[in-house]
Amino acid sequence: GGVKVGAFLFLLALGLAVVVIVATAPLRTRARRTRLRARAFPEPWRALLRRDVCLYRRAPEAVRTQLHGHIHVFLAEKTFYGCGGQTVTQTMRLIIAAQACLLLLNRATDYFPGLQAILVYPSAFIAPHESRDGAGVHTLHEEILSGESWHLGKVVLAWDEVFENAKEGSDRNVVLHEFAHQLDEEDGGADGAPVLESASDYEAWSRIFNEEFQALRDREDAVRPEVIDPYAGENPAEFFAVATETFFTEPVGLREQHPKLYEALERYYRVDPSRW
């Protein structure tokens, strides 16, 4: 009897310890992130981002300061892997982290909680894909890509595309695009709607994005060049990702051509890049 009682007490104590660990994990995470955000941001890192990330150069000082803290957390929590012979350097990690963290400003964030790893190829990579036609026939094929967001906790990037987008200020930005997909998928589905604060927010978001998505798909002969890449018409998830790219890389054009869409993205991302 004594042995059984002892075993029971041991299991009870072990169970309580597990409960305490699980219950206090969010508090420990918040404390650790607070310490990371408070770290000084090395001057060589600032110089590198000023040189190689045009969005960092444009951003106001208050945005840069907040971005520094987010970069510290991102680099501490995410793992980078080189693929296809690529060696991942600190420069690469900083340039990717700085752009990804632009999507996290001015609001509570869990730092892309579903993401564990960033895979970096030297250039465009080949990825297997499966498609299904109207008759339900599945077809396997290969695509050449510069970026991809996986449901299994990974983002894949082509470094040459990342660097060109970051430095030259292209209207494309593969990092913003793929990390927008990560935000979209935080609620479990890639549907073009990230996690919002209230039911009324979802209603407004759905109305504006559906209108803009359908208008883009219906537009054949635009009077003037369309600021949103036509690829956004593939599906709602791609529309959100491309719209996010455009919001940061062509903010004035997006605000002029699609003021309601720009306003919705401004409310979500809580920045106004058109003023940068």
Side-chain angles (χ1 to χ4, degrees):
V3 173
K4 291 183 179 179
V5 171
F8 171 76
L9 292 175
F10 170 77
L11 292 174
L12 178 61
L14 181 61
L16 289 173
V18 171
V19 169
V20 169
I21 291 171
V22 171
T24 59
L27 296 175
R28 294 198 304 275
T29 297
R30 283 197 294 270
R32 177 174 49 80
R33 288 173 172 174
T34 298
R35 290 193 300 272
L36 286 166
R37 286 192 293 265
R39 283 183 179 176
F41 201 75
E43 180 54 40
W45 291 12
R46 296 173 191 249
L48 184 150
L49 294 180
R50 284 194 299 267
R51 184 190 69 202
D52 291 338
V53 181
C54 67
L55 289 173
Y56 180 86
R57 289 195 302 272
R58 295 177 190 169
E61 188 58 35
V63 167
R64 294 186 196 179
T65 299
Q66 186 183 166
L67 195 59
H68 296 161
H70 287 330
I71 291 170
H72 277 309
V73 176
F74 188 96
L75 294 179
E77 294 187 354
K78 311 304 179 185
T79 304
F80 290 74
Y81 296 98
C83 302
Q86 179 67 63
T87 298
V88 177
T89 66
Q90 183 72 343
T91 293
M92 293 177 179
R93 297 170 77 239
L94 278 167
I95 289 174
I96 292 169
Q99 294 175 94
C101 290
L102 283 171
L103 306 184
L104 306 178
L105 298 165
N106 297 322
R107 67 183 192 276
T109 177
D110 201 18
Y111 294 94
F112 307 105
L115 176 68
Q116 285 84 46
I118 297 99
L119 311 183
V120 184
Y121 282 84
S123 57
F125 52 91
I126 297 174
H129 278 264
E130 181 180 3
S131 60
R132 182 172 59 183
D133 63 19
V137 177
H138 291 260
T139 304
L140 291 175
H141 61 282
E142 293 182 336
E143 294 184 11
I144 300 175
L145 303 173
S146 59
E148 192 170 37
S149 175
W150 294 358
H151 295 287
L152 300 177
K154 296 180 178 64
V155 162
V156 192
L157 300 167
W159 171 246
D160 59 353
E161 181 84 3
V162 169
F163 186 71
E164 180 181 351
N165 295 166
K167 191 174 183 69
E168 301 301 328
S170 167
D171 58 358
R172 282 181 45 79
N173 189 294
V174 66
V175 174
L176 295 178
H177 185 105
E178 302 308 335
F179 280 87
H181 280 313
Q182 287 291 312
L183 293 176
D184 185 10
E185 294 163 8
E186 282 185 13
D187 60 359
D191 55 7
V195 176
L196 304 174
E197 291 187 346
S198 68
S200 61
D201 288 335
Y202 280 104
E203 291 171 6
W205 184 276
S206 177
R207 182 179 67 256
I208 293 169
F209 271 72
N210 283 336
E211 289 175 1
E212 295 281 354
F213 176 65
Q214 291 302 324
L216 181 71
R217 298 190 77 176
D218 295 341
R219 191 180 297 112
E220 294 182 359
D221 298 312
V223 176
R224 55 180 174 173
E226 172 56 59
V227 69
I228 301 177
D229 191 298
Y231 181 67
E234 287 287 311
N235 54 58
E238 294 301 341
F239 184 80
F240 172 60
V242 173
T244 293
E245 285 183 84
T246 312
F247 177 71
F248 283 96
T249 62
E250 296 286 342
V252 175
L254 184 65
R255 187 186 61 191
E256 291 176 350
Q257 290 191 17
H258 304 274
K260 291 182 180 178
L261 177 60
Y262 188 90
E263 183 181 350
L265 290 166
E266 183 183 356
R267 283 198 304 270
Y268 175 66
Y269 285 117
R270 300 190 185 183
V271 292
D272 183 2
S274 71
R275 297 180 179 273
W276 293 2

